[in-house]
Amino acid sequence: MMDGIWPAVLGRFTWSALPFVRAWQNPTINEIIGAGAAMMVIVGAASVIALITIKGRWRYLWREWLTSLDHKKIGIMYVVLAFVMLSRALVEAVLMRMQQAAAVNAPGFVEPDHFAQLFSTHGSIMIFFMAMPFLTGIINYVMPLQIGARDVSFPLLNSISLWLTGGAAGLIMVSLVIGRFSTGGWSGYPPYTELAFSPDVGPDYWIWAVTLGSIASTLSGLNFAVTIYKERCPGMTFMRMPLFVWTALCTSILMIFAMPPLTVATALLALDRYVGFHFFTNDLGGNMMNYANLFWLFGHPEVYILILPAFGVYSEVVSTFSSKELYGYTSLVWATMTIAVLSFTVWVHHFFTMGQSANLNAVFGIATMTIGVPTGVKIYDWIWTMFRGEVRFTVPMLYSLAFMMTFVLGGFTGILLAFPPLDYLVHNTLFLIAHFHNMLIPGLLYGMLAATHYWFPKAFGFRLNEKWGRIAFGCWVVGFYLAFMPLYVLGAGGAARRSQAFFEPAFRPWLYVAGVGALILASGLASLFVQLWVSMRDRDANRVFVGDPWDGRGLEWSTSAPPPEYNYANLPVVAGRDPFFDGKRKGDPYGAPEDYHDIDMPRNSMVGPVSGTVGAMLGFGLVWHIWWLSILCLVTLIGTVIARSFVRDVQRVIPAADIARIEQRWHDAIAQARAIPRERETMTVNEGLAEVTV
Amino acid sequence: MNAGEVKHPGLNLGSTDTDTHEQAEGDVFGFWVFLMSDAVIFALLFAVYGTMLAATAGGPTPADAYKLGPTFAETLTLLTSSLTFGMASIAVKYEASGSVLFGWLAITLALGLAFLGLELHDFATMIGEGAYPARSGFLSSFFALVPLHGLHVLAGCLWLVVMIVQLSTFGLDARVKINLLRLGLFWHFLDIVWIAIFSIVYLQGLIR
Ligand SMILES: [Cu+2]
């Protein structure tokens, strides 16, 4: 009856795209899990909206957070997004392990197609919407403070990047409720993801979510690199930058050059799927090896985009909690740059088995192994930093130590995989899964968790609960070993990755252990949420307004906690590598300036929220072939950018009098605070003023 | 000498205050970085094109599909538009009267549109002769690379229109000048990409 109209309005949407409808028509456990997940998204989103409405906080949220261009607030929002997505992807991981443990010579409870969606979303979310926002958020928060800057070079672009990432993550969440996700894994290999094999909406959700996310990351990388080149305070030469800034710089450069290959790969796949091009199809001259090359030209550097910032965090943490200058600063800088360059020379190791010549495999195998050298340099430097230092085993330090042990193990298995003949034996098995989780959990997640514990008091003005931090730490470490060591055994025994069921009874005990490990990892995340709640409850007892709870070394500790919007009333002048630490040893590190000046800060802007929302709607329209919506969104996006270019009144002045008042309050607090020795830093007496000993 | 009178050697802002020069340095550097990232996209599409030259699947070959004459005309049009944009930059730097600047920008816009018209006509001819993108991997890679450059030119034309409107709204204020600087980089970048397209896509295609 309405046949002509509905396809034009709703594209290829039909009622069976809703998981509730499917579960109603076919009430199996599999469909009910799908409907339950969709319910969780809806209930979760609805309750957040309801809570904000009931508390009447929309205006506050909009003015203080969503439209803010302050790098500190943008950083915090990125980290919040990362935790939301981490929760979802971890639940999926647990579900997959439970399924596999239940599915030895049995069907289990999740059907193959659903299982394929689980590993595809798990991988895509963990890489693009957990890891990337997490490290982008930490860099956003910390880096400008560390280089003594007011903000990043392009604050509005920063907000746009955040919102595009958020919109892309939203698109993945929507795929739980409307339609389905790709079954092509996080790497989306064609020809499987081509129209001929996957005609449904799944790969399109993957394409547009990843494309939006990769554009956002390119822009973030650009913004950070320009900030580090152009916004360093006087005296902050390159070789005086904190190591975290160095890793942020190398990560940013990698983003600038490694994200475009991903954009090209997804765009060409989209051309194949939408307008019948033949890049990666099986027929008419398509060549999927081009996809493999494009994807891994991004994919391998991506590993170092993820890991380098964590290396930076460990450098800061190890030095601070050993009360020692970082050992081998220069070698750490060179190692970082070497890793960044080498990361572009090894991508073929992701497809050793796809038929290129032995010579080529040998070259790329050797190139891969050389990355172990600069990484080894770093490990030695951290060990020498601790050597004869006054090491305090706080939570960030514990993560750093666990990282050093665990990461070395993962490095060994990486060397194994770098031998093409060995790779032939274990490729596409759980051995590989064990290896890269062995690298990324200590090399990214531990690093980011160490970073949150380390800089949280700076960002919010109170410390996180130490006891729950240790419980969470224990869960992450024990859970990691239980969940992933068995996978080495299983992989060596030939258990294929991405398997929904197994037929080898000998796998069963190892799968059980891995399942228990996954549950403990989930408890680790739960403990972090408990920790956050407990810390917020006790926040008044743990305030560190003075701003230096750990006897810190870099500039970021020389402001109040949280820092004022403008970061520094007068931009600092730096004369060494640990400027704040040196200042404390030489005398008065907080010396109040004689006079204050007006400071220009960027006004809030709704361009970010608008572009993120419209970008996500554009993706949604494309997924469902709702052309009117896609065109409308595209026009709105372009129109927003043009309209913004006509806005002239983009700066807001903070008057000198306000700054004087804010700074005076802080200096009064410093004068009243009691300095504490380092061994009491985890107790409530810590107000953020460190006792200076030589 | 008054710092405000100094003309920055690398920036075509004309004489202006130091703050604006400093602001422009960051902005222009950022745009260079963006162009480098964009250049990676083109480089990869060139690489893909190179691997797909032979993937004609029995359809038109490069020699069948390309016509050197119209492409040469496109090249001349685009190169001339870079020259006229250069004249516009000089007009900004040496503070020529507003109408001179308007004139050069308008000529650049007209040449850009002419280029697009010629290119579209070219594509239409190709498609009319059976060389359409879905025909083969080779034609897919051609129709991803060359029209992407065209889309960039289209974006540049839109940007030119916006700048002409802004010039008449705000005059030559600091932000208009900085945006003209960035647009200039963008426009010359497209020229360089086109030279690569002309030699790697068209000339190479005909030599084989
Ligand atoms: Cu790799």
Side-chain angles (χ1 to χ4, degrees), chain A residues 36-98:
Chain A
M39 254 345 259
M40 267 164 64
V41 173
I42 294 175
V43 170
S47 39
V48 169
I49 291 171
L51 195 70
I52 298 169
T53 314
I54 290 168
K55 297 227 165 191
R57 305 293 281 208
W58 276 113
R59 175 188 282 271
Y60 163 79
L61 206 61
W62 180 255
R63 292 218 320 225
E64 295 296 318
W65 289 90
L66 306 184
T67 58
S68 171
L69 302 192
D70 182 345
H71 72 92
K72 301 185 285 300
K73 288 183 174 164
I74 289 178
I76 291 169
M77 287 189 276
Y78 263 117
V79 173
V80 170
L81 174 67
F83 270 103
V84 172
M85 299 312 279
L86 173 65
S87 309
R88 172 175 167 192
L90 191 53
V91 168
E92 290 173 334
V94 172
L95 200 57
M96 284 190 286
R97 283 281 163 265
M98 296 300 118

Side-chain angles (χ1 to χ4, degrees), chain A residues 641-659:
Chain A
V641 173
I642 293 178
R644 166 74 191 190
S645 75
F646 279 86
V647 179
R648 281 297 179 271
D649 185 22
V650 294
Q651 299 283 348
R652 182 170 55 90
V653 177
I654 306 180
D658 288 5
I659 295 166

